[in-house]
Amino acid sequence: MSSVVIVGTQWGDEGKGKITDFLAEKSDVITRYQGGNNAGHTVKIADKEYKLHLIPSGIFYPDKMCVLGNGMVIDLEALISELDYLEENGVTVKNLIISDRAHLIMPYHKVLDELDEERRDQEKIGTTKKGIGPCYMDKAARKGIRVCDLLEPEILKKKIENSLKEKNQLLDRVYDSKAFDPDKMVADITRYAERIKPFIGDSSYYINTALENGEKLLFEGAQGTLLDLDHGTYPFVTSSNPVAGGVCIGAGIGPTNITNVLGVLKAYSTRVGDGPFPSELKDDIGDKIREAGGEFGTTTGRPRRIGWLDLVIARYAKRVSGLDQIALTLLDVLSGFEKLKLCVAYKYKGETLKEFPASLEVLSKCEPVLEELPGWEEDITGIESYDDLPTNAKNYLKRIEEICSVPISVISVGPGRDQTKIIKDIF
Ligand code: IMP
């Protein structure tokens, strides 16, 4: 039995899609366990770029199974357009299972997400407005509509009508916004259901059977540690649990079945949306990294905020997910800087903080404690292996390993599949 969890160790956008795509080749089943189409990643295969939001990048391998786990929230319209997009590009989607227990993002969730953000005024979360938060709210409030409901038209109809009784009142009275027509919504969702039906299944049963059969499983986390509802920079978080523990709930496996947790760490920090960011660079260096790294949201197109690599956060990610190994991505983006800096602690009111604080009040007043390292000039995008890296790049990696006490097993030096270099085996 072998099962690897891939988690983002920062604020998302660490390049998990690329690492997943790379490891998918060695695995049999690839599962997403939380979030929805708020995620987004670009996979480059033979000079062609694909943008995915919901479906694991394992879909590009027709002999692998891809699973949307029960912990996900699924926007049927977005899913269907992703399926169409893949099929139009000659990618087969027969190898997909959608959990019958996953929740559906309904049209009113998207509208409520937007209206709630507007109402927050100065206190905006900066959500992707995909309806993620409102959908998980209904799940927790036990008012959600699930994928299995798509298989029972009468129940689906009743649930939509019941839900709209409440949501239309909320839209009208609280937000002064337009109501939804229940008949139209039932007709639309029923139509979508027809397209989705062939993919619906008991994904936890499938995954556990695959485990029993000795297959290799890969679990692909979306977002990142600091966007985790419990462990992230609350309230500037998403509404699910991207940390490794989220796999057990969101895919329906026991914790003893996880054999390896791989944390994806970008060679610098980025953040989308609002909230404190101690190692943020608001200068030319930040702009240069943003341009070189193409740091603009896949889902929203927003420019990402940039900062030095924050190892207080990386160590925190190690703690809350139990990282066994690190995959370090976008190392090539750091070529051409005379000096590089690592954030190794925070200064708060004259004290040195080594652990990531819970309070955003505290975090917003933290100054980064920076350790300077010499950079490297060489273009590293064409290296054959770790050994070809310039000494200063190796020293940069070594320092990260020392401070985090986690080995770096994979490095990525460009978007192509052949630009991912394995230092130590993952499976
Ligand atoms: P939501 O997930 O749309 O509710 O957004 C909540 C927060 O998570 C916002 O700050 C988003 O920008 C952030 N977020 C959600 N998904 C991603 C992602 O895939 N990458 C980076 N940030 C994300």
Side-chain angles (χ1 to χ4, degrees), residues 43-341:
V43 182
K44 196 173 166 194
I45 302 165
D47 286 340
K48 191 163 165 50
E49 278 194 349
Y50 296 88
K51 287 188 193 306
L52 295 179
H53 297 282
L54 271 168
I55 299 174
S57 38
I59 200 75
F60 296 108
Y61 299 95
D63 56 329
K64 321 279 181 195
M65 212 57 192
C66 284
V67 179
L68 303 187
N70 57 277
M72 288 190 72
V73 285
I74 292 170
D75 177 338
L76 292 175
E77 231 180 316
L79 177 62
I80 290 170
S81 85
E82 204 158 299
L83 290 170
D84 291 346
Y85 162 73
L86 286 168
E87 285 192 326
E88 280 158 19
N89 280 283
V91 181
T92 172
V93 293
K94 288 202 184 90
N95 48 332
L96 179 71
I97 299 180
I98 303 169
S99 167
D100 47 9
R101 289 168 171 83
H103 279 246
L104 296 177
I105 296 179
M106 302 296 285
Y108 45 81
H109 290 137
K110 290 183 265 190
V111 171
L112 287 169
D113 197 356
E114 205 157 337
L115 291 171
D116 188 55
E117 276 287 275
E118 272 168 33
R119 204 167 67 117
R120 282 175 186 260
D121 204 21
Q122 296 303 309
E123 308 255 289
K124 290 190 198 314
I125 304 292
T127 74
T128 59
K129 299 188 180 156
K130 302 286 178 192
I132 306 294
C135 181
Y136 278 115
M137 277 165 70
D138 274 356
K139 174 179 175 176
R142 293 151 294 178
K143 296 177 188 169
I145 301 179
R146 297 188 298 163
V147 168
C148 59
D149 297 326
L150 297 173
L151 301 172
E152 292 173 277
E154 277 315 305
I155 291 175
L156 177 69
K157 182 169 183 286
K158 209 177 279 169
K159 287 196 176 178
I160 293 175
E161 285 167 355
N162 273 343
S163 192
L164 278 185
K165 269 185 207 147
E166 185 206 1
K167 297 301 190 254
N168 278 344
Q169 280 200 35
L170 183 66
L171 287 165
D172 178 34
R173 295 191 192 171
V174 177
Y175 295 104
D176 195 18
S177 182
K178 232 174 59 208
F180 281 94
D181 172 10
D183 293 338
K184 178 172 181 332
M185 194 176 290
V186 170
D188 287 346
I189 303 290
T190 305
R191 202 173 60 248
Y192 300 151
E194 285 309 311
R195 173 83 161 98
I196 298 300
K197 265 180 195 168
F199 302 105
I200 300 175
D202 183 343
S203 56
S204 162
Y205 178 78
Y206 182 88
I207 291 168
N208 281 279
T209 308
L211 275 168
E212 280 166 23
N213 292 339
E215 293 185 25
K216 289 181 178 156
L217 274 76
L218 191 63
F219 296 94
E220 174 185 359
Q223 291 85 43
T225 304
L226 293 186
L227 291 172
D228 186 279
L229 183 59
D230 285 79
H231 301 287
T233 42
Y234 190 92
F236 300 102
V237 293
T238 190
S239 300
S240 65
N241 290 109
V243 299
V247 170
C248 299
I249 308 291
I253 62 163
T256 45
N257 286 321
I258 297 172
T259 48
N260 191 356
V261 181
L262 179 69
V264 183
L265 180 69
K266 179 147 67 179
Y268 49 90
S269 307
T270 58
R271 171 159 207 190
V272 192
D274 299 323
F277 183 1
S279 72
E280 185 166 14
L281 284 162
K282 292 180 177 167
D283 57 10
D284 294 354
I285 299 179
D287 292 344
K288 193 174 158 190
I289 295 176
R290 182 180 302 108
E291 283 306 317
E295 293 293 355
F296 300 89
T298 319
T299 301
T300 58
R302 289 182 285 182
R304 296 178 185 142
R305 297 157 69 194
I306 311 285
W308 292 121
L309 178 56
D310 187 329
L311 295 179
V312 180
I313 292 170
R315 283 192 295 106
Y316 178 63
K318 183 209 169 181
R319 164 154 56 97
V320 297
S321 279
L323 302 186
D324 295 299
Q325 296 171 334
I326 285 175
L328 195 98
T329 56
L330 290 118
L331 186 60
D332 53 300
V333 173
L334 295 186
S335 285
F337 290 94
E338 196 188 338
K339 304 245 179 264
L340 293 173
K341 291 180 185 172

